[in-house]
Amino acid sequence: MSRGTRLVMWDVDHTLLAAGGVAQLAYAPAFTAVTGVAWREMAFSAGRTDRDIAAETFAMHGIDDCEPHLDAFFTVFAAEFAARRELLVTHGHVLPGVREVLSALGTRPHVVQTLVTGNIRPVAVDKLAAFDLAVHVDFDIGGYGTDDLVRATLVRRSLERAAAKHGRAFEPSEVVVVGDTAYDVTAALANGVTAVAVATGGTSAEALAAAGAHFVLDDLSDVDAVVTLLAG
């Protein structure tokens, strides 16, 4: 990566933090409140967007077209999650090196940090705020789970928002996506930007490399090396 401005797009779950299953606790009451259908189970979620997860979850409950319900569902889901935010601190934790890396990058004027996450924005904000991680992140230019089913579109939306805010398009060489799943890697590659993968979720370092990640890290605990990699 060449020296210059950096736009670092962070995934949230199992990249920055583990949320301890709090989202799942909020999902069931939100689903039943909006649909009136008794809760059974949630679709597999790792690396996927909330819009994608919702489509499958609704289908699993016999609702093939979730679109008429989504706006209301995401609103109630965000409220149910916010009501349980204090559980994040007791059930979840920040992953190794994350706090130090975010803080160090935040002192570098050429680095802009945001999120590209499958979470809807209010939930992503709550997760970071609960662990005092929000101060160095520009949420306004992120890509979120309501933007599309496909994660690559979230990266594109973030690029568009960053360009609008900063008055210029970011070159692919200036952009880094950091995540823990093959979905994060393929989303980065689809947009021609650098993919940095961390094996802190359920995907092995070998699988992340096979997906095409430019760099694969066991975690973010080597703070100086990670900051050098991401800041250029």
Side-chain angles (χ1 to χ4, degrees):
M1 295 184 290
S2 61
R3 180 70 184 174
T5 302
R6 288 288 180 274
L7 176 58
V8 180
M9 299 177 175
W10 292 102
D11 172 52
V12 175
D13 295 299
H14 303 294
T15 298
L16 297 177
L17 56 88
V22 177
Q24 286 83 347
L25 295 176
Y27 216 92
F31 175 85
T32 298
V34 170
T35 66
V37 176
W39 177 255
R40 294 202 296 272
E41 60 181 323
M42 183 176 175
F44 180 76
S45 60
R48 301 171 67 188
T49 71
D50 268 340
R51 184 171 286 274
D52 188 23
I53 296 162
E56 184 175 344
T57 300
F58 275 65
M60 290 164 62
H61 289 78
I63 303 172
D64 293 329
D65 182 10
C66 68
E67 288 296 326
H69 303 281
L70 281 188
D71 286 347
F73 170 70
F74 286 141
T75 297
V76 177
F77 173 49
E80 292 284 351
F81 189 90
R84 295 165 173 79
R85 189 176 121 174
E86 71 279 0
L87 295 177
L88 286 167
V89 178
T90 55
H91 287 55
H93 60 274
V94 178
L95 293 173
V98 164
R99 194 178 302 280
E100 295 81 4
V101 169
L102 288 174
S103 295
L105 291 175
T107 67
R108 285 152 171 80
H110 71 290
V111 176
V112 177
Q113 300 183 82
T114 190
L115 302 181
V116 167
T117 172
N119 290 289
I120 62 174
R121 176 172 171 168
V123 168
V125 172
D126 277 346
K127 286 180 179 180
L128 267 67
F131 293 106
D132 297 320
L133 298 176
V135 64
H136 298 299
V137 174
D138 185 346
F139 295 102
D140 289 341
I141 62 172
Y144 300 99
T146 48
D147 286 328
D148 201 76
L149 293 171
V150 180
R151 199 175 185 102
T153 306
L154 277 55
V155 174
R156 187 165 73 252
R157 293 284 182 270
S158 181
L159 288 169
E160 293 167 354
R161 290 165 182 150
K165 181 167 186 175
H166 291 272
R168 71 170 184 89
F170 284 79
E171 297 295 327
S173 62
E174 298 174 321
V175 182
V176 184
V177 172
V178 189
D180 68 290
T181 72
Y183 290 101
D184 301 292
V185 174
T186 56
L189 298 180
N191 286 276
V193 304
T194 299
V196 175
V198 287
T200 44
T203 308
S204 68
E206 293 76 16
L208 293 167
H214 297 95
F215 302 93
V216 179
L217 310 173
D218 290 333
D219 56 30
L220 302 179
S221 59
D222 189 343
V223 174
D224 290 342
V226 174
V227 170
T228 297
L229 173 63
L230 299 182

